[in-house]
Amino acid sequence: MDVNLTIKGLFDTAIDAICAHRDGRIIVANPAFAHLFGYDSADDMAGRPVIDTLAPEERPRIAETIRRRSSGEEVASVYTATGLRRDGSRFDLEIGASAFVLGGERYCVAVLRDISEAEAAKRHLVESEERFRNLFKMSPDPTWIIQDNRFIECNRAAVAILGYPDEDSLKNVHPSELSPEFQPDGESSFAKAERLMGMTMANGLHRFEWTHKRRDGSLFPAEVTLSAIQLQGKPSLHCTWRDITERHQAEAQMRLAAGVFDSTQEGIVVTDINGNILSVNPAFTRITGYAGCEVIGKTPSILKSHHQDQNFYRVMWSELRSKGEWRGELWNRRKDGEAYLEWLTISAVAGQDGKPARYVAVFSDVTELRRKDDQIRHQAYHDALTGLPNRFLLADRLDHALEVSRRTQDQVAVLFLDLDRFKVINDSLGHHEGDKLLVEVARRIGQTVRKSDTVSRLGGDEFVVVLGTFTDTTEVALVAEKIIATLARPLRLAGKAVHSSTSIGIAVFPQDGEDAAALLKNADTAMYQAKAAGRSCFRFFDRSMNEHAVRRLELEAQLRQAIDGNQLELHYQPKVLVETGGLAGFEALLRWNHPEQGRIPPMEFIPLAEETGLIIPLSYWVIEEACRKLAKWRKGGADIKVAINLSARQFHDEKLPQRIEAILQRTKVPGSALEIELTEGAVMDAPGRTIVILQRLRALGLRISVDDFGTGYSSLAYLKRFPINAVKIDRSFVMDLPDDAEDAAIVRAILDLARALNLDVVAEGVETVEQLDFLRRAGCGQIQGYYFSQPLPASELDEWLRKAP
């Protein structure tokens, strides 16, 4: 804290214009910087691009210099440019820059100086030595004339800075005589001065840092500028000094602050006046688990644990605003959800106007120091028998899950469990054995659910499970089934095999209740419905949801049987060439003929197969079946191509190309006879991995098409890199053609894009001659739809082929 205030004081009082910038934008500037460019205060410049202070023609060159320095390259530390003031006036500008790392971020510090007068003085020197001498004497900076590597003349500022009585005391003196024997880099002052003066005579200008010695023997750092001139026809050097002691102190303090910031064991957070996080240190990441990139731009409320109420924070902010500081204990929550206790000090840092401009929070994790308190807390919030959270901690966990759900739009499920026949077991075998049963029940439930879920014992034989972050209530039903199954396994109590079971009631947020109390009440109600239904089962509070879940579970089990039960078949829909009406190929479509329910719609069982992972064996069955049919056609002399749909899940299988290659070899079908169709979502799920797999499929000879094109989000930068052959216009854009102007514009745009990328186009869902005519005029190459044929089973396909044109 004190270090930061010291740095701020040095910045505010420095004569030089100083700013710090990151990624090309000004983070902080001092009053001299604002004054140099015509601004009222340094705060007006915060956030502006630093190159906006330069003339437009200078900006590309300086922007490249900033970029190279920010990336760690070695570039010139001092250079000149043309500055641009707020009122549009220009002036000669000298820039000294350096880079440093603070909090894992790379910053640049620039020290700027108006050298217009100095430049003018040099020009006038050529025109008038008399004017030069007047400027020389009046210069506020120590100024010298060097001839034959010795000072022959100096001004009063030079005399004053070195503490000598008059100018004559410093004439005919070698620069090394006003210096220590050696410079900080170890080189002798005499040799280094000779070398630098020689370089300036050769190059015309040189600027460097030098350690000088005053008459009293004290040393000070100076920035020296040497310029080669002609004076009375004789080669000379114009030399100016600037005492940079304050700059060195500021840099040292800055390095010290950076070291403290990075190495301290306390977490540090810097926010703006609105509480938005600007910077954090490594200790913050170690304590909270959040990396800097995850919290910068957000507020510290991301750590909120909800152990403190809103009144606590109101009092904190009131004290912070009135006193400029707050300190105390606070419960926060790490990234992994664990609550921890911290000792926190928040201090306001004032800006130039005296009002708070930043807040700096310094905190330490004192959880371990309160271990004894934690043990007491554990006893207060956990069940003594099973070690599970009790109803108090359950309420906290459930409230937290609901708050997260409100932000993420996810669902939360509450499962209320009551053991069946527990009283009989407890009364017949004794309370000791009954306790063993409860401990085993807790263990088994805990092994069934995820670590992120909450299992709680309310008391007696009642348990509650809180499930979060699921997308379909079928997942909840599966968890309930697993719990019922695991608790149904026998266990030995008092030397006997004992069978237990449970009834489960389920309530889902938000539809079954907006708060914890309502969800627990409704889950309890559903649990009694489960007991009334015969026990050892579960019921949702919402009857329609319960029916949906049961239907999905039954359908999943039946779909697993359908794969091996000869209930699946392929139907084939023709793809037709628009210009000739000739056959371009078929798309193979999966159909399920249930022995009792008849035809199950694909829209019902395909999403289920995707969710459960059954889509993987189903897809390989489709590929195998389609290749067997292709083999028969090819054996009969027909050169037919078949397209099959692949799931996004299959692109997580790196052996997908090898598996398809094995099927092609087994059925003796060339890869050129097979086409793969995948959706935009599958393409963009993991573009890098998908590109590699598609390239390997293309190497087998397969064609690649993007299905339902236009309904998802495709990055054109990626799309042009994918090894695809064709796109399929989704039927939703075709159904209202040609009357719907928006759909017509979208279709034309897709066709233009495809032509630009040299891709074939297939329009799906064509059912009318008007749609066909529009697509023909728009230049679409192929169509697919009921206008030509619905999907046909293999048994009818040969007859269709004989009648086809």
Side-chain angles (χ1 to χ4, degrees):
M1 297 289 300
D2 294 338
V3 170
N4 289 335
L5 292 174
T6 301
I7 293 172
K8 185 177 187 316
L10 290 171
F11 263 66
D12 289 346
T13 59
I15 298 175
D16 284 335
I18 306 174
C19 79
H21 59 90
R22 183 181 66 200
D23 297 329
R25 289 190 175 273
I26 296 172
I27 303 299
V28 65
N30 68 348
F33 189 93
H35 178 74
L36 180 62
F37 291 98
Y39 286 84
D40 295 329
S41 73
D43 289 342
D44 293 340
M45 310 211 56
R48 297 176 179 270
V50 70
I51 61 171
D52 284 358
T53 61
L54 303 175
E57 65 272 14
E58 299 273 26
R59 293 174 185 175
R61 174 175 66 90
I62 305 304
E64 175 62 16
T65 300
I66 293 173
R67 184 196 68 75
R68 292 173 58 195
R69 176 173 289 107
S70 297
S71 65
E73 292 185 38
E74 290 290 334
V75 294
S77 60
V78 179
Y79 46 89
T80 59
T82 301
L84 184 67
R85 292 191 176 90
R86 188 178 188 180
D87 61 6
S89 62
R90 298 179 175 223
F91 64 100
D92 293 322
L93 186 65
E94 177 187 281
I95 303 171
S98 62
F100 67 95
V101 176
L102 177 62
E105 298 286 343
R106 194 171 185 88
Y107 294 81
C108 290
V109 173
V111 180
L112 296 85
R113 187 183 304 159
D114 184 351
I115 59 171
S116 300
E117 291 186 4
E119 291 299 315
K122 293 175 187 177
R123 289 193 294 270
H124 293 168
L125 181 63
V126 177
E127 300 169 359
S128 171
E129 290 189 2
E130 182 180 355
R131 179 181 297 174
F132 163 75
R133 291 188 178 277
N134 289 334
L135 290 172
F136 176 84
K137 295 293 184 183
M138 295 169 59
S139 173
D141 290 329
T143 308
W144 313 75
I145 298 298
I146 300 174
Q147 288 182 354
D148 298 326
N149 290 359
R150 288 185 172 272
F151 295 130
I152 65 166
E153 198 166 341
C154 66
N155 65 358
R156 294 207 57 81
V159 174
I161 196 172
L162 290 175
Y164 283 86
D166 51 40
E167 291 95 325
D168 291 339
S169 304
L170 299 174
K171 291 182 180 179
N172 200 32
V173 173
H174 191 276
S176 63
E177 296 179 45
L178 303 178
S179 310
E181 184 177 358
F182 296 96
Q183 289 297 305
D185 61 2
E187 188 174 0
S188 75
S189 294
F190 180 84
K192 190 167 186 176
E194 290 286 313
R195 179 169 58 82
L196 295 177
M197 288 186 290
M199 289 174 57
T200 305
M201 282 296 188
N203 300 326
L205 176 70
H206 195 58
R207 183 170 291 109
F208 52 91
E209 289 189 10
W210 189 269
T211 298
H212 284 290
K213 183 171 64 175
R214 297 184 181 92
R215 186 185 184 190
D216 61 8
S218 61
L219 304 179
F220 68 96
E223 182 182 76
V224 179
T225 302
L226 293 180
S227 302
I229 61 173
Q230 289 286 326
L231 188 60
Q232 296 179 344
K234 186 174 182 178
S236 306
L237 292 176
H238 179 269
C239 173
T240 58
W241 293 358
R242 175 163 297 205
D243 187 341
I244 56 173
T245 302
E246 287 188 0
R247 186 197 303 178
H248 276 200
Q249 290 173 346
E251 291 173 352
Q253 293 285 4
M254 191 174 296
R255 287 193 295 270
L256 175 61
V260 171
F261 188 83
D262 285 339
S263 63
T264 183
Q265 295 302 302
E266 286 76 28
I268 301 177
V269 183
V270 181
T271 76
D272 63 17
I273 194 63
N274 297 315
N276 299 308
I277 296 175
L278 302 175
S279 182
V280 299
N281 71 339
F284 172 90
T285 299
R286 177 178 53 78
I287 294 172
T288 69
Y290 286 97
C293 61
E294 295 178 291
V295 298
I296 290 176
K298 300 179 181 178
T299 67
S301 64
I302 192 174
L303 304 173
K304 199 172 183 180
S305 67
H306 304 286
H307 283 64
Q308 295 86 207
D309 58 19
Q310 289 301 315
N311 185 59
F312 174 90
Y313 293 102
R314 279 195 293 270
V315 172
M316 172 197 288
W317 279 103
S318 175
E319 185 173 334
L320 183 59
R321 292 190 180 101
S322 62
K323 300 180 180 180
E325 183 177 83
W326 181 92
R327 62 182 61 203
E329 287 185 347
L330 180 69
W331 279 98
N332 269 335
R333 195 177 297 276
R334 306 186 211 275
K335 183 179 179 181
D336 62 6
E338 178 190 3
Y340 69 96
L341 184 64
E342 66 180 36
W343 176 259
L344 173 67
T345 299
I346 307 175
S347 301
V349 179
Q352 286 183 313
D353 58 2
K355 297 179 180 178
R358 298 284 187 270
Y359 290 110
V360 178
V362 181
F363 66 94
S364 56
D365 183 349
V366 296
T367 310
E368 287 300 317
L369 298 178
R370 303 299 175 86
R371 184 178 302 171
K372 185 178 294 185
D373 291 345
D374 284 350
Q375 291 173 350
I376 296 173
R377 177 180 172 81
H378 187 274
Q379 293 170 0
Y381 287 95
H382 289 79
D383 174 49
L385 177 63
T386 63
L388 293 177
N390 61 16
R391 65 175 63 250
F392 301 109
L393 185 52
L394 170 66
D396 179 76
R397 296 269 185 89
L398 184 51
D399 284 340
H400 177 68
L402 295 180
E403 181 163 345
V404 172
S405 178
R406 291 186 184 100
R407 292 199 304 265
T408 62
Q409 303 301 308
D410 288 330
Q411 293 178 294
V412 175
V414 176
L415 284 65
F416 200 109
L417 286 71
D418 185 272
L419 300 183
D420 301 327
R421 300 176 58 251
F422 174 73
K423 188 176 186 303
V424 174
I425 296 172
N426 202 42
D427 291 344
S428 61
L429 298 181
H431 294 290
H432 180 69
E433 298 301 316
D435 287 348
K436 286 184 179 179
L437 173 61
L438 293 173
V439 171
E440 178 62 14
V441 166
R443 188 187 68 82
R444 292 186 183 185
I445 296 175
Q447 289 181 337
T448 305
V449 300
R450 302 166 299 186
K451 289 184 178 180
S452 58
D453 300 324
T454 294
V455 181
S456 170
R457 181 185 176 218
L458 298 187
D461 61 342
E462 292 181 337
F463 294 81
V464 170
V465 177
V466 178
L467 305 177
T469 63
F470 60 88
T471 56
D472 192 283
T473 51
T474 304
E475 301 174 41
V476 181
L478 287 172
V479 172
E481 275 203 337
K482 289 179 181 178
I483 293 175
I484 291 171
T486 192
L487 296 186
R489 298 199 312 267
L491 70 156
R492 296 195 69 80
L493 295 175
K496 300 178 182 179
V498 176
H499 292 267
S500 179
S501 61
T502 186
S503 299
I504 303 177
I506 306 171
V508 178
F509 172 83
Q511 52 265 52
D512 296 338
E514 286 291 330
D515 55 35
L519 290 168
L520 287 168
K521 176 178 176 293
N522 292 336
D524 189 25
T525 300
M527 183 270 294
Y528 280 104
Q529 294 173 355
K531 281 190 177 293
R535 305 193 177 197
S536 194
C537 65
F538 67 87
R539 285 292 182 269
F540 282 92
F541 179 73
D542 186 330
R543 181 175 300 174
S544 63
M545 189 183 298
N546 187 69
E547 293 172 352
H548 171 74
V550 172
R551 166 66 174 165
R552 293 290 293 272
L553 289 171
E554 291 175 348
L555 199 62
E556 179 188 347
Q558 292 165 356
L559 183 56
R560 294 180 186 275
Q561 297 173 359
I563 298 175
D564 299 322
N566 201 29
Q567 299 175 22
L568 304 175
E569 67 172 331
L570 291 183
H571 285 199
Y572 298 85
Q573 187 172 34
K575 293 190 290 185
V576 178
L577 297 170
V578 172
E579 291 301 324
T580 65
L583 179 66
F586 292 105
E587 180 181 1
L589 301 167
L590 183 61
R591 297 292 183 263
W592 180 9
N593 298 313
H594 194 281
E596 298 173 357
Q597 302 178 36
R599 181 69 57 80
I600 305 293
M603 291 302 294
E604 185 172 358
F605 75 85
I606 293 296
L608 175 63
E610 289 276 4
E611 293 171 12
T612 60
L614 287 173
I615 195 68
I616 302 296
L618 281 177
S619 295
Y620 285 122
W621 182 90
V622 169
I623 298 172
E624 186 96 33
E625 185 67 18
C627 285
R628 280 199 293 266
K629 186 62 179 175
L630 275 168
K632 290 181 181 179
W633 278 325
R634 295 182 65 81
K635 191 173 182 180
D639 184 14
I640 294 177
K641 295 178 174 59
V642 171
I644 58 171
N645 294 280
L646 286 188
S647 162
R649 278 178 173 262
Q650 288 188 278
F651 283 86
H652 293 278
D653 180 6
E654 294 183 356
K655 294 185 178 181
L656 173 65
Q658 294 97 307
R659 299 185 197 280
I660 293 179
E661 183 179 17
I663 293 174
L664 293 172
Q665 291 176 350
R666 193 161 51 247
T667 56
K668 296 182 173 54
V669 172
S672 59
L674 199 62
E675 183 174 355
I676 296 297
E677 293 187 6
L678 62 161
T679 63
E680 284 186 88
V683 169
M684 299 307 299
D685 181 40
R689 180 179 60 218
T690 303
I691 289 173
V692 173
I693 292 178
L694 291 181
Q695 287 172 339
R696 291 164 65 186
L697 292 176
R698 281 289 299 272
L700 296 175
L702 277 67
R703 282 175 55 83
I704 310 294
S705 296
V706 177
D707 200 6
D708 302 336
F709 189 75
T711 60
Y713 170 77
S714 291
S715 167
L716 295 181
Y718 270 109
L719 187 60
K720 68 181 183 180
R721 292 171 51 195
F722 285 111
I724 60 176
N725 303 96
V727 295
K728 299 186 73 174
I729 302 175
D730 187 70
R731 64 182 68 250
S732 62
F733 301 126
V734 174
M735 59 187 300
D736 292 327
L737 293 178
D739 301 324
D740 191 300
E742 291 184 359
D743 285 345
I746 291 172
V747 170
R748 291 192 184 98
I750 293 174
L751 289 167
D752 289 341
L753 175 62
R755 277 191 287 269
L757 296 177
N758 197 28
L759 301 175
D760 295 332
V761 181
V762 181
E764 297 182 291
V766 178
E767 298 183 0
T768 68
V769 67
E770 290 80 11
Q771 294 168 348
L772 175 61
D773 289 341
F774 175 88
L775 292 166
R776 179 186 289 112
R777 291 193 302 272
C780 182
Q782 300 177 30
I783 64 169
Q784 180 180 344
Y786 278 35
Y787 180 78
F788 283 98
S789 174
Q790 64 182 1
L792 299 172
S795 59
E796 300 177 20
L797 203 57
D798 293 334
E799 180 64 23
W800 186 90
L801 285 170
R802 283 193 291 272
K803 294 179 180 179

